[in-house]
């Protein structure tokens, strides 16, 4: 296809998101909601279609607008295949989320400004799409900052809740720390080149940079993009801001936005710098393993459904970075095929995580909508009152726990397989590092299974633990449609693994020293890793599993003739069952919390009041437990204190007197003029 | 391309696993009883239990949802899929094209997760307790399994079950290499944890505070209970076959010739008897560990796996 034929699609995408933003002009909240939903779906559909065409090899889109912001070098867009992978994720998640959002924001109009929200949503979606199609640093950073500000405004939509405002503040601070690091990285990368620093020129220039500069760029980019992606220890904003946002925005942030941090890292470190020394890969593997384990350990013990999901996003970003790190390591060891597999596994997990984290956040939103509760300990029994939400949440939970036959299993399997050539490597250090990486991957997988058995089992099964849960109502049609679409994507992506992987393989081909051939994976139903170490077929597993389950069901219908009686759950002879007898979320996680107690260092308070006269009869027991990530205190408390101290010093300048302010202005002018004359 | 005879043998192999699994459990129980100076129930007692349960009426909790009704079929179905992949008599068979060790582990984890969900579904405190403990043990045994797999994969150059068996058949001496032996011990420890044997869980207990597996299935009765129990026996059988046929694949048929199949059947029975005897001796000799000592046991398994990888690295 002629590349120019793709250009209208690009404009259609931007136009759709602009329509979404134009909900700001709508006369009534209901109209604003509808305009936002329709515009977002249209823009996302155009974006998804465009991404698919680019991935299918229809060419790339290049649009230069030198006249816009000409003084800074002008805007410029170029959507290549790497960007298209992420654009496909943006489009694919936005369509169901926008439909869901139409239903979810139904009650918002009374309390919050729907018009503002339309503007922010449109800007957020547009900026994300532009980040992945930017062709120069100016465009990239503008889109990046617009994305940060729009998403921050969305986080504080419910501005009357203190936790939303506090989470937003953390986000704002961390994202600008990241922006600072990115600015520094790009200044080092751009050096003395003129103009808006097009990526093509930077790529050519990067080869001439000294190793020290390249390392500095890599570390700064890791800090900047890592803070967006949620790498430990710069992940602190994520479990605070993601749960505070309206749930469909949480879904967009967790499923899509954090992945743009991965995109940035790949774009700068792999594409522009073309890989680096082995320690880059080692650092990423270590950071990925620490992030994955920290994320899943805190997800496991969290009782807030949405914060649990946010920590699980941290975990999954860790897995993605783990794969990326293995890729960089293999690249530095001149094993390009193994590197391509590791990068492809990481990118496949990017795509898969978008599907199941999307459905899980939408499900958590539906629970919040139905009960007003996020505390798992106050939920329960929802499977009977909200069957659609429960079924879709279960699909998401099984997928994220890497259980077959869903898509999470496929990418986790591929991550395992991508480590094998490294373990078989002739270098002992690499072999030991990646062996420990496999251990971390497996422990993360096991803990994720425990986490999501808890998240689904305690929230949705058994008896309701609060009146709110007992009176829950099922979500409306729009919310149900959004959840069902994303839930269906989980098995669909497992079935379509091979085409998706070949698209990803094509996107990686030729990027930063990876082999140019796009046929790294043998096509067909069976997934075979390029080094021939392993074969697996998600389709066959799904088919045989379904056949076996159905076969057993039919056989049992034939064999058993017994009747079925409904009765109470056995309670040791006690009559009457209440929800107080059930296991809670805290209790479920308690064994693992104790096993990993050294890492959690919780504060437990147990007070036992004995009956006067007899120590064997207890009058009352009170137990309170608190779990605050201790390492955050170590790193961030001093920073926060120092910032506050600096701010109170600066406050002395702000006397409130206009005369003083005028004096400052004159003073600054004199200094500036002096500098100009001096030079 | 489409190997009808192979597929027939494959399905026959899975049915054989299904048929032999109760006998394996019956044999372990009988041997334990003998070692404890009891007469013990006959080896075919588990078959009688299944027959009885399939004919019985069912009592289902008022709180149970569709998850409770779905779980037995997912648990049984996933274990059957695993038994299709694991070599029992012949290797390689058609499904071997997709028989991956990591896939086996995650399929078994699917059954575990559903059993845990079913345990939570009825709202009983016992069910919750069992689920919580089962998921705890499943989570911390994952890294140990992964490293045991890794050491096997390194030696064979693949995580494919058929390739691992084929490689050891081709080089019999490798079965006695230190890495192989350590990986075997690592997998054996994991097998005890995953299938709820002593010292991790006591299959004979009904004492509330120590139950894990029994606590989760407390609300199941009749045919559902039969399915869940049969699946757990099949899981033990599958692990025994993994230990027997991946580490010591001698006797495994490599063709569909009747003589080879007969030899394979005989050696498989011998391997099962040896492994069952090992489990029975262990279960009469050791006491159950406290729940919070189980991580130490699994850490031993993890370290053995790590050493196995390291030794296969250093001996290359």
């Amino acid at each position: 296809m002629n590349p120019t034929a793709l250009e209208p699609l690009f404009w259609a995408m931007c136009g759709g998101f602009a329509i979404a933003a134009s909900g700001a002009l709508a006369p009534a909240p209901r109209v604003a909601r509808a305009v936002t939903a329709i515009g977002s779906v249209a823009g996302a559909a155009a974006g998804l279609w465009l991404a698919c065409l680019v991935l299918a090899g229809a060419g790339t889109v290049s649009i230069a607008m030198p006249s816009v912001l000409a003084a800074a070098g002008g805007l410029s867009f170029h959507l290549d295949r790497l960007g298209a992978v992420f654009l496909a994720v943006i489009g694919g998640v936005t369509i169901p989320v926008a439909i869901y959002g139409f239903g979810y924001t139904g009650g918002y109009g009374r309390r919050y400004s729907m018009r503002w929200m339309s503007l922010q949503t449109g800007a957020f979606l547009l900026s994300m799409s532009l980040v992945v199609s930017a062709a120069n640093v100016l465009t990239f950073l503008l889109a990046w900052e617009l994305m940060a500000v729009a998403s921050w405004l969305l986080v504080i939509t419910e501005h009357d809740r203190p936790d939303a405002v506090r989470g937003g503040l953390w986000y704002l601070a961390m994202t600008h720390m990241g922006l600072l690091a990115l600015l520094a990285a790009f200044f080092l990368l751009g050096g003395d080149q003129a103009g808006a620093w097009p990526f093509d020129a930077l790529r050519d220039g990067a080869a001439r940079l000294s190793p020290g500069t390249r390392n500095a760029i890599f570390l700064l980019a890791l800090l900047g993009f890592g803070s967006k992606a949620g790498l430990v220890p710069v992940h602190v904003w994520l479990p605070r801001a993601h749960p505070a946002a309206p749930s469909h925005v949480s879904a967009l942030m967790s499923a899509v936005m954090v992945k743009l941090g991965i995109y940035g890292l790949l774009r700068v470190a792999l594409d522009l710098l073309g890989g680096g020394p082995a320690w880059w890969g080692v650092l990423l593997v270590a950071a990925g393993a620490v992030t994955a384990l920290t994320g899943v350990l805190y997800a496991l013990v969290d009782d807030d459904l949405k914060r649990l999901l946010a920590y699980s996003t941290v975990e999954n970003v860790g897995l993605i970075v783990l794969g990326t790190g293995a890729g960089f390591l293999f690249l530095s060891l001149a094993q390009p095929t193994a590197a391509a597999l590791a990068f492809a596994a990481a990118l496949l997990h990017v795509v898969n995580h978008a599907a199941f984290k999307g459905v899980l956040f939408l499900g958590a939103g539906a629970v919040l909508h139905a009960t007003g509760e996020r505390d798992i300990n106050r939920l329960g029994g929802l499977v009977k009152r909200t069957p659609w939400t429960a079924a879709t949440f279960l699909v998401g939970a099984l997928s994220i726990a890497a259980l077959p036959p869903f898509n999470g299993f496929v990418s986790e399997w591929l991550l395992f397989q991508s480590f094998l050539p490294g373990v078989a490597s002739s270098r002992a250090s690499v072999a030991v590092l990646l062996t420990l990486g496999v251990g971390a991957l497996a422990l993360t997988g096991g803990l994720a299974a425990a986490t999501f058995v808890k998240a689904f089992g305690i929230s949705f099964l058994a008896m309701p633990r609060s009146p709110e849960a007992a009176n829950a109502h099922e979500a409306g049609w729009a919310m149900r449609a959004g959840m069902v679409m994303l839930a269906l994507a989980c098995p669909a992506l497992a079935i379509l693994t091979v085409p998706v992987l070949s698209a990803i393989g094509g996107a990686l081909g030729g990027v930063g020293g990876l082999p140019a051939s796009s046929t790294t994976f043998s096509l067909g139903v069976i997934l075979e890793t390029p080094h021939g170490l392993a074969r697996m077929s998600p389709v066959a597993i799904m088919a045989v599993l379904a056949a076996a389950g159905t076969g057993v069901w039919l056989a049992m219908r034939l064999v058993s003739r017994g009747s079925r009686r409904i009765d109470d759950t056995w309670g040791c002879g006690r009559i009457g069952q209440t929800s107080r007898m059930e296991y809670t979320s805290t209790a479920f996680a308690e064994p693992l919390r104790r096993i990993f107690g050294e890492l959690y260092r919780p504060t437990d308070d147990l007070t036992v009041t004995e009956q006067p006269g007899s120590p064997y009869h207890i009058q009352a027991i009170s137990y309170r437990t608190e779990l605050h990530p201790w390492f955050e205190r170590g790193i961030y408390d001093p920073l926060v204190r120092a910032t506050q101290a600096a701010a109170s010093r600066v406050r002395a300048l702000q006397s409130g007197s206009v005369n003083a302010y005028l004096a400052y202005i004159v003073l600054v002018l004199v200094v500036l003029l002096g500098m100009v004359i001096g030079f | 391309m489409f190997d009808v005879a192979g597929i027939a043998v494959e399905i026959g192999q899975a049915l054989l696993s299904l048929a032999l699994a109760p006998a394996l459990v019956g044999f372990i129980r009988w041997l334990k009883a003998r070692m404890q100076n009891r007469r013990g129930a006959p080896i075919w007692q588990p078959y009688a239990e299944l027959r009885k349960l399939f004919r019985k009426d069912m009592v289902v909790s008022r709180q149970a949802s569709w998850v409770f009704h779905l779980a037995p079929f997912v648990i049984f179905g996933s274990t059957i899929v695993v038994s299709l992949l694991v070599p029992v008599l012949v290797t390689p068979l058609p499904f071997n094209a997709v028989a991956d060790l990591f896939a086996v582990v995650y399929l078994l984890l699917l059954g575990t997760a559903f059993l845990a969900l079913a345990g939570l579904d009825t709202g009983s405190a016992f069910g919750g307790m069992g689920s919580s403990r089962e998921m705890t043990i499943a989570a911390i045994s994952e890294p140990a399994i992964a490293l045991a797999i890794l050491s096997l994969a390194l030696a064979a150059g693949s995580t494919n079950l058929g390739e691992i068996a084929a490689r050891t058949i081709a080089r019999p001496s490798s079965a006695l290499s230190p890495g192989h032996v350590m990986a075997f011990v690592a997998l054996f420890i994991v097998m005890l944890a995953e299938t709820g044997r002593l010292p991790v869980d006591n299959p004979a207990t009904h004492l509330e505070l120590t139950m894990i597996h029994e606590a989760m299935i407390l609300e199941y009765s009749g045919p559902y209970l039969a399915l869940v129990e049969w699946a757990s026996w099949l899981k033990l059988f599958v692990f025994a076959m993994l230990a027997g046929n991946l580490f010591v694949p001698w006797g495994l048929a490599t063709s569909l010739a009747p003589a080879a199949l007969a030899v394979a059947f005989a050696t498989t029975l011998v391997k099962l008897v040896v492994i069952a005897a090992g489990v029975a001796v262990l279960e009469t000799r050791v006491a159950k560990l406290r729940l919070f000592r189980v991580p130490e046991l699994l850490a031993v398994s993890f370290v053995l796996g790590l050493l196995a990888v390291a030794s296969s690295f250093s001996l290359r």
Side-chain angles (χ1 to χ4, degrees):
Chain A
M1 194 191 288
N2 186 355
T4 51
L6 298 173
E7 225 182 283
L9 268 178
F10 183 81
W11 291 120
M13 174 184 81
C14 297
F17 293 146
I19 292 174
S22 76
L25 306 171
R30 193 180 165 76
V31 181
R33 274 165 53 214
V35 168
T36 308
I38 293 169
S40 308
V41 170
L48 182 61
W49 184 234
L50 172 66
C52 290
L53 286 178
V54 170
L55 285 172
T60 56
V61 186
S62 294
I63 297 164
M65 292 192 287
S67 52
V68 184
L69 294 176
L75 297 184
S76 168
F77 301 98
H78 175 70
L79 182 70
D80 62 359
R81 289 184 176 196
L82 184 60
V85 171
F86 289 86
L87 186 61
V89 171
I90 297 171
V93 175
T94 300
I95 295 174
V97 164
I99 297 173
Y100 174 98
F102 175 72
Y104 187 76
T105 50
Y108 273 60
R110 267 171 270 131
R111 284 184 296 161
Y112 311 111
S113 163
M114 270 322 294
R115 296 161 73 179
W116 268 107
M117 200 168 172
S118 294
L119 185 63
Q120 291 152 10
T121 310
F124 181 42
L125 293 173
L126 181 68
S127 58
M128 285 200 293
S129 327
L130 295 187
V131 162
V132 296
S133 46
N136 63 26
V137 172
L138 175 70
T139 318
F140 182 86
L141 287 178
L142 278 179
W144 187 263
E145 180 59 13
L146 179 62
M147 175 174 89
V149 172
S151 54
W152 167 65
L153 287 170
L154 284 168
V155 166
I156 57 166
T157 299
E158 297 173 19
H159 48 76
D160 44 0
R161 287 191 7 240
D163 67 321
V165 175
R166 213 175 307 126
L169 192 61
W170 272 96
Y171 177 36
L172 203 61
M174 292 305 290
T175 189
H176 283 99
M177 183 280 297
L179 182 72
L180 214 61
L182 290 186
L183 276 174
F186 280 122
F187 269 106
L188 284 176
L189 194 55
D192 47 5
Q193 291 187 36
W197 292 341
F199 285 157
D200 289 333
L202 293 185
R203 194 177 296 122
D204 297 335
R208 292 189 296 275
L209 293 173
S210 71
T213 320
R214 289 166 61 88
N215 290 341
I217 295 170
F218 169 73
L219 289 175
L220 285 167
L222 182 62
L223 182 65
F225 292 123
S227 73
K228 183 62 80 178
L231 271 187
V232 171
V234 282
H235 70 291
V236 283
W237 64 275
L238 211 148
R240 291 176 169 85
H242 284 214
S247 299
H248 62 301
V249 177
S250 315
L252 276 181
M253 290 176 73
S254 255
V256 184
M257 190 185 75
V258 295
K259 309 300 171 44
L260 299 189
I262 306 291
Y263 167 77
L265 189 64
L266 287 178
R267 179 61 83 197
V268 170
L270 181 64
D271 183 24
L272 300 187
L273 293 176
W279 68 262
W280 288 17
V282 174
L283 181 65
L284 284 175
V285 167
V290 170
T291 304
L293 284 173
T294 310
V296 77
L297 282 170
Y298 280 99
L300 177 72
V301 294
D302 215 305
D303 294 333
D304 178 322
L305 191 54
K306 284 183 78 178
R307 199 162 55 216
L308 180 151
L309 292 177
Y311 270 121
S312 138
T313 299
V314 173
E315 170 220 329
N316 281 281
V317 164
L319 295 182
I320 294 165
V321 171
L322 203 57
T324 314
F328 276 107
L329 188 57
F330 292 139
L331 207 56
S332 73
L333 298 175
Q335 289 180 281
T337 324
L341 177 66
F343 282 122
L347 281 187
L348 184 68
H349 201 65
V350 165
V351 174
N352 287 340
H353 177 250
F356 45 70
K357 188 47 66 63
V359 70
L360 287 170
F361 257 120
L362 296 190
V367 169
L368 182 62
H369 196 261
T371 63
E373 281 293 342
R374 277 166 32 182
D375 185 354
I376 303 177
N377 282 330
R378 292 180 54 80
L379 296 172
L382 294 174
V383 68
K384 296 179 196 90
R385 303 198 58 98
T386 61
W388 287 87
T389 310
T392 50
F393 195 94
L394 179 60
V395 171
L398 294 175
S399 306
I400 202 168
L403 295 175
F406 297 113
N407 57 348
F409 163 67
V410 182
S411 38
E412 190 118 337
W413 181 84
L414 210 59
L415 277 173
F416 270 120
Q417 296 300 341
S418 72
F419 275 55
L420 279 186
V423 180
S425 147
S426 53
R427 289 192 188 195
S429 52
V430 174
V432 170
L433 176 78
L434 291 188
T435 304
L436 290 176
V438 168
L441 200 58
L443 184 58
T444 309
L447 290 172
T451 304
F452 281 92
V453 164
K454 176 188 106 166
F456 178 79
I458 307 282
S459 309
F460 287 91
L461 300 180
M463 294 164 79
R465 294 177 181 79
S466 67
E468 289 82 6
N471 297 318
H473 57 86
E474 179 60 292
W477 66 267
M479 288 166 71
R480 285 209 299 268
M483 290 188 288
V484 168
M485 282 166 81
L486 278 172
L488 288 179
C490 294
L493 279 169
I495 293 172
L496 297 175
T497 298
V498 173
V500 171
L501 257 182
S502 15
I504 288 174
L508 286 167
V511 176
L514 292 174
S517 92
S518 58
T519 54
T520 7
F521 301 92
S522 61
L523 295 179
V525 188
I526 295 177
L527 189 63
E528 182 170 0
T529 55
H531 42 75
L533 281 178
R535 296 185 299 273
M536 199 266 292
S537 166
V539 183
I541 287 181
M542 198 181 290
V544 179
L545 193 60
T550 323
V552 173
W553 180 73
L554 283 174
M556 206 192 87
R557 297 282 310 244
L558 288 176
V559 173
S560 80
R561 307 235 179 280
S563 67
R564 189 179 287 183
R565 190 156 54 84
I566 306 291
D567 212 321
D568 284 334
T569 300
W570 183 68
C572 297
R574 187 184 171 130
I575 297 180
Q577 184 189 7
T578 72
S579 60
R580 285 183 55 97
M581 297 170 189
E582 291 170 7
Y583 246 50
T584 59
S585 163
T586 317
F588 190 92
E590 207 274 340
L592 280 165
R593 192 169 102 156
R594 208 194 280 196
I595 289 168
F596 296 101
E598 273 304 300
L599 301 175
Y600 288 123
R601 306 191 194 166
T603 338
D604 287 332
D605 252 342
L606 180 66
T607 322
V608 180
T609 322
E610 289 161 1
Q611 200 82 268
S614 162
Y616 301 107
H617 294 87
I618 307 294
Q619 207 163 39
I621 294 181
S622 87
Y623 176 70
R624 199 180 57 82
T625 180
E626 204 179 345
L627 221 164
H628 188 79
W630 49 269
F631 56 88
E632 285 182 9
R633 262 185 232 145
I635 301 173
Y636 287 96
D637 281 7
L639 276 178
V640 170
R641 267 199 302 276
T643 314
Q644 281 168 343
S648 62
R649 291 266 173 78
V650 173
R651 199 163 58 193
L653 287 175
Q654 293 177 328
S655 54
S657 142
V658 178
N659 292 340
Y661 291 167
L662 286 173
Y664 298 152
I665 293 173
V666 171
L667 206 66
V668 170
L669 262 180
V670 169
V671 171
L672 284 177
L673 283 174
M675 281 168 71
V676 170
I677 294 167
F679 287 109
Chain B
M1 180 70 207
F2 207 71
D3 180 4
V4 178
I7 289 180
V9 173
E10 183 115 59
I11 291 172
Q13 204 175 261
L15 292 177
L16 182 71
S17 310
L18 266 181
L20 285 182
L24 176 66
V25 172
F27 180 66
I28 293 177
R29 285 187 198 162
W30 177 82
L31 208 57
K32 266 173 78 174
R34 287 286 150 158
M35 280 187 275
Q36 293 160 354
N37 291 330
R38 292 186 285 120
R39 189 183 291 162
I43 291 171
W44 50 85
Q45 180 65 29
Y47 295 102
E49 283 172 24
L50 285 183
R51 186 180 141 91
K52 176 190 75 182
L53 287 173
F54 272 119
R55 289 171 161 211
K56 278 207 152 198
D57 291 352
M58 215 191 292
V59 185
V60 178
S61 161
R62 212 180 296 289
Q63 318 302 341
S65 68
W66 52 265
V67 174
F68 185 83
H69 294 280
L70 178 67
F73 301 104
V74 175
I75 296 163
F76 202 81
S78 62
T79 323
I80 288 187
V81 176
V82 169
S83 71
L84 278 170
L85 300 178
V86 173
V88 177
L89 297 180
V90 196
T91 183
L93 283 172
F95 284 154
N96 188 57
V98 294
D100 186 85
L101 252 179
F102 282 113
V104 165
V105 169
Y106 277 86
L107 274 166
L108 290 175
L109 190 59
L110 174 71
T112 307
F114 261 91
L115 194 56
L117 286 178
L120 286 168
D121 198 18
T122 54
S124 142
F126 297 121
M129 188 178 69
S131 302
S132 161
R133 291 176 178 178
E134 176 83 358
M135 289 318 293
T136 302
I137 290 170
I140 52 179
S141 59
E142 282 303 302
I145 306 180
L147 285 205
I149 293 177
L150 202 61
S151 54
L152 276 174
L154 268 191
S158 169
T159 51
N160 183 286
L161 292 167
E163 306 250 328
I164 293 172
R167 160 127 183 340
T168 319
I169 291 176
R171 286 179 53 190
S173 63
S174 69
L176 295 173
S177 71
H180 214 71
V181 174
M182 281 189 279
F184 178 81
V185 178
L187 190 80
F188 194 80
I189 293 176
V190 164
M191 174 180 106
L192 296 177
E194 285 277 302
T195 55
R197 311 300 307 189
L198 281 172
V200 176
D201 186 11
N202 185 352
T205 187
H206 271 97
L207 182 67
E208 288 89 340
L209 296 178
T210 59
M211 291 189 289
I212 300 179
H213 179 79
E214 289 297 322
M216 282 189 293
I217 63 170
L218 213 50
E219 288 300 317
Y220 276 120
S221 55
Y224 281 170
L225 182 61
L227 282 183
V228 171
E229 284 294 60
W230 202 355
S232 76
W233 299 338
L234 187 58
K235 189 174 176 182
L236 178 66
F237 184 88
V238 162
F239 263 103
M241 282 288 91
L242 280 179
N245 280 343
L246 291 189
F247 289 91
V248 250
W250 306 319
L252 216 53
T254 47
S255 71
L256 297 182
L261 285 180
V263 171
F265 185 68
T267 46
T268 296
L269 282 186
V270 172
K271 285 174 196 167
L272 282 175
V273 166
V274 171
I275 289 171
V279 172
V281 170
L282 198 72
E283 291 206 326
T284 32
R285 292 285 157 204
V286 302
K288 187 181 172 301
L289 280 178
R290 276 182 65 218
L291 183 66
F292 294 104
R293 299 282 308 275
V294 172
E296 295 168 19
L297 182 73
L298 289 166
V300 169
S301 169
F302 180 82
V303 171
L304 279 172
L306 198 62
L307 287 176
V309 172
S311 80
S312 72
F313 180 78
S314 57
L315 293 177
R316 203 160 348 145

